[in-house]
Amino acid sequence: MKILAPVDGSKTSLKAIKQACSLLAAAPQLSVTLMSVHDDIALKHARSIVGSKAVDSYLRELSDKDLAGARKLLDKAGVEDRKSTRLNSSH
């Protein structure tokens, strides 16, 4: 069984990760994938000024920041996670 955990860096999302750690401790056959999503529609104009690579880099940094707290909790619990980074842009 797999757990897909959306993470936005909030206390609520970190609380969900703590709950996932409890589930994973009780059932080691489970796995967890962390996911951070950012809507880039508002950045369409920025893409025309600074370019797609700069905007994609910015979104990647935001996602990494969002995921850092969750990864720290999983590491502390000894849980291996998968981090999937995928950028879907509206351009």
Side-chain angles (χ1 to χ4, degrees):
M1 181 181 264
K2 298 177 182 180
I3 298 172
L4 177 60
V7 178
D8 63 3
S10 69
K11 288 181 182 180
T12 303
S13 69
L14 294 179
K15 186 175 178 181
I17 297 302
K18 288 178 185 177
Q19 181 63 35
C21 287
S22 296
L23 291 171
L24 291 161
Q29 73 276 15
L30 297 175
S31 66
V32 64
T33 299
L34 301 177
M35 179 180 69
S36 175
V37 177
H38 292 277
D39 184 4
D40 74 335
I41 194 76
L43 299 172
K44 188 174 183 180
H45 182 68
R47 283 186 188 281
S48 68
I49 296 169
V50 299
S52 290
K53 286 184 181 181
V55 172
D56 289 348
S57 177
Y58 169 71
L59 292 172
R60 224 180 277 283
E61 287 176 27
L62 283 179
S63 291
D64 288 344
K65 183 179 176 184
D66 288 348
L67 295 169
R71 298 194 85 189
K72 187 175 180 179
L73 288 172
L74 292 173
D75 287 345
K76 184 177 178 181
V79 174
E80 185 176 327
D81 68 287
R82 293 184 193 147
K83 176 184 131 186
S84 178
T85 302
R86 182 175 170 187
L87 298 176
N88 287 336
S89 57
S90 58
H91 64 281

